[in-house]
Amino acid sequence: MDEKRKEELNEKIEEIFDNSFSSGSAWEKIKKLADEEGEQEVYLTLLENILDDLIENADQVKAYLRQIGWELPQESDKDGEGEEPKERRGEE
């Protein structure tokens, strides 16, 4: 999907959520948009938006998850070069 198309879908999705009275009505409008514009493009754009928001607000997300009792793995360093997952160890 090209950037222009992605931006167009982003605007439509934001408009839906901004102008909906409830999350239920927003989801109905998102489903309709997906039917009209293509499910894969709409849902991938929505997923990218959600992930971007989570990454952008990582500290608040982590604080909320701790608040509700979600156990988070310990971060070994800030470079993302922590211990490899068990299934990857010794594969090479």
Side-chain angles (χ1 to χ4, degrees):
M1 175 176 11
D2 65 21
E3 287 299 315
K4 183 178 179 183
R5 174 77 173 140
K6 183 178 171 183
E7 187 60 36
E8 178 184 302
L9 288 174
N10 273 330
E11 288 175 15
K12 288 180 179 183
I13 289 169
E14 285 181 27
E15 186 176 312
I16 286 172
F17 283 108
D18 289 344
N19 296 320
S20 295
F21 293 110
S22 69
S23 59
S25 67
W27 281 112
E28 289 303 316
K29 292 175 185 175
I30 291 290
K31 289 178 191 176
K32 184 177 178 184
L33 179 65
D35 289 341
E36 294 170 355
E37 301 284 343
E39 288 184 358
Q40 185 174 4
E41 287 183 333
V42 170
Y43 292 129
L44 283 176
T45 301
L46 184 60
L47 181 59
E48 279 186 27
N49 290 343
I50 292 167
L51 291 174
D52 288 345
D53 287 347
L54 289 173
I55 291 167
E56 196 174 299
N57 298 297
D59 291 338
Q60 290 111 327
V61 171
K62 288 176 186 177
Y64 174 75
L65 292 174
R66 285 186 192 99
Q67 179 184 346
I68 63 170
W70 193 290
E71 292 186 30
L72 298 175
Q74 295 294 323
E75 294 181 25
S76 58
D77 59 38
K78 294 290 181 187
D79 295 332
E81 296 180 7
E83 189 175 327
E84 289 185 22
K86 291 178 185 176
E87 55 273 356
R88 287 194 146 165
R89 292 183 202 148
E91 280 186 2
E92 296 177 353

